[in-house]
Amino acid sequence: MFQISTMEGLELVSSNKIFGGYQKVYSHESSELKCKMNFSVYLPPQAEGGDVKLPVVFYLSGLTCNEQNFITKSGFQRYAAEHGIIVVGPDTSPRGVKIPGDDESWDFGVAAGFYLDATNEPWTKNYRMGSYVNKELYDLVLQAFGNVVDGDRIGIMGHSMGGHGALVSTLRNPGLYKSVSAFAPICNPTQCPWGVKAFSGYLGEDKSKWAEWDATELVKKYDGPPLTLLIDQGAGDNFYVQKQLLPENLVEACRSAGVPVILNLREGYDHSYYYIASYIGEHFAFHAKILKA
């Protein structure tokens, strides 16, 4: 049986057996976001009995997604089970807080939290996804799953807006994550339409605040433990063609700063979960090599 530490306020929403482990979804009241939030946890078969502590990888989803997209579409559980990695996936924004205008567009507000801490009203109270992921949920996982989680072996990955979140979370919090990778990340949000729209709304017009949540800007001054960034990009991705993602900007900044970076450009692949499912195994192998070294 899979046992977790009892924790008041943590409610099991669903549990499904897959590849010998269990894909679970929990809900809890978030103090950072001031609303109820769901998050997913995959416990691989190696977690059974709680006799060994396993590495963890957080996965951050993209625009319009919630905690369900990755766990139902990517097929990651096969590789997490193979490598013995626990996988945690939060939702992408606060839900049900009913801020005027939060549901008027698909790329801002609900399902578009951009994994930052808003400083512009009326978003400051609830839109604190940066602190939610890297403090509240991070600590909750260590506490609730402490009998199976190795707190010294934690990585992070994401897709699109979530790829931005994974990169920024790592660069803003040196040492918190030992490994990081991203599928089609928004690499330079201060220079693309998605980022300009989101940052203007959440952070206001002071562009010095924008740079604090931009991976390309952050890597220029990174001063933390050795780190290799793995970036995966479909060459047939319309958002890549439309200059929303700008991975080359990040690669150039990494090389200037001496931060190792790998950019895999995948011919013919788009922005969808078909693409993610095709290469998710390589990403788990990358994280496993670092986290299990």
Side-chain angles (χ1 to χ4, degrees):
M1 289 292 293
F2 290 86
Q3 300 291 335
I4 69 166
S5 308
T6 56
M7 185 169 177
E8 185 177 354
L10 195 61
E11 179 183 345
L12 181 64
V13 176
S14 63
S15 179
N16 301 92
K17 191 166 187 178
I18 178 171
F19 292 110
Y22 283 89
Q23 181 62 67
K24 297 176 179 286
V25 175
Y26 291 89
S27 68
H28 73 114
E29 289 291 337
S30 167
S31 59
E32 286 286 354
L33 308 181
K34 308 295 190 293
C35 65
K36 178 174 274 192
M37 292 291 286
N38 284 357
F39 66 93
S40 64
V41 178
Y42 179 66
L43 296 169
Q46 295 89 338
E48 190 162 5
D51 299 325
V52 60
K53 293 197 173 187
L54 303 174
V56 180
V57 169
F58 283 77
Y59 179 88
L60 308 184
S61 289
L63 289 164
T64 76
C65 293
N66 58 24
E67 82 287 344
Q68 289 292 319
N69 299 73
F70 180 62
I71 67 177
T72 58
K73 293 181 177 181
S74 71
F76 82 89
Q77 293 93 344
R78 177 190 298 272
Y79 305 102
E82 175 186 335
H83 293 290
I85 295 175
I86 295 169
V87 183
V88 177
D91 202 344
T92 52
S93 75
R95 300 279 173 172
V97 297
K98 300 186 185 305
I99 297 173
D102 67 359
D103 60 355
E104 291 179 357
S105 59
W106 65 275
D107 55 357
F108 184 81
V110 176
F114 269 82
Y115 302 102
L116 51 71
D117 290 346
T119 56
N120 202 30
E121 296 293 348
W123 311 98
T124 53
K125 178 181 176 182
N126 305 102
Y127 277 73
R128 296 182 50 79
M129 288 298 295
S131 289
Y132 174 70
V133 169
N134 299 302
K135 294 178 182 176
E136 184 178 4
L137 184 61
Y138 192 101
D139 291 344
L140 186 156
V141 167
L142 292 180
Q143 181 178 349
F145 301 90
N147 59 325
V148 292
V149 165
D150 185 341
D152 292 324
R153 296 189 292 161
I154 298 180
I156 191 167
M157 68 167 74
H159 170 229
S160 194
M161 177 186 73
H164 145 77
L167 294 168
V168 167
S169 294
T170 303
L171 295 169
R172 282 176 58 91
N173 302 282
L176 197 65
Y177 302 101
K178 301 297 191 295
S179 58
V180 59
S181 71
F183 288 94
I186 304 171
C187 292
N188 197 182
T190 60
Q191 301 299 318
C192 75
W194 278 343
V196 170
K197 178 178 180 178
F199 286 11
S200 296
Y202 294 132
L203 303 174
E205 298 304 320
D206 182 355
K207 293 187 178 181
S208 65
K209 293 180 179 179
W210 296 14
E212 296 172 12
W213 300 96
D214 184 317
T216 297
E217 295 302 319
L218 289 169
V219 81
K220 294 175 183 177
K221 56 183 180 181
Y222 178 73
D223 184 24
L227 188 68
T228 297
L229 310 184
L230 172 60
I231 310 299
D232 217 295
Q233 178 60 61
D237 183 335
N238 285 336
F239 299 122
Y240 172 62
V241 175
Q242 295 165 9
K243 306 296 184 183
Q244 290 279 22
L245 306 175
L246 304 173
E248 290 84 2
N249 292 11
L250 177 60
V251 169
E252 182 180 351
C254 285
R255 289 174 176 165
S256 297
V259 175
V261 59
I262 300 165
L263 173 60
N264 292 321
L265 195 60
R266 311 290 191 175
E267 192 64 36
Y269 283 89
D270 59 18
H271 201 72
S272 72
Y273 268 91
Y274 296 113
Y275 152 61
I276 294 173
S278 299
Y279 293 105
I280 191 69
E282 291 189 17
H283 282 243
F284 270 87
F286 172 81
H287 286 272
K289 184 176 181 179
I290 296 169
L291 297 177
K292 299 172 75 175

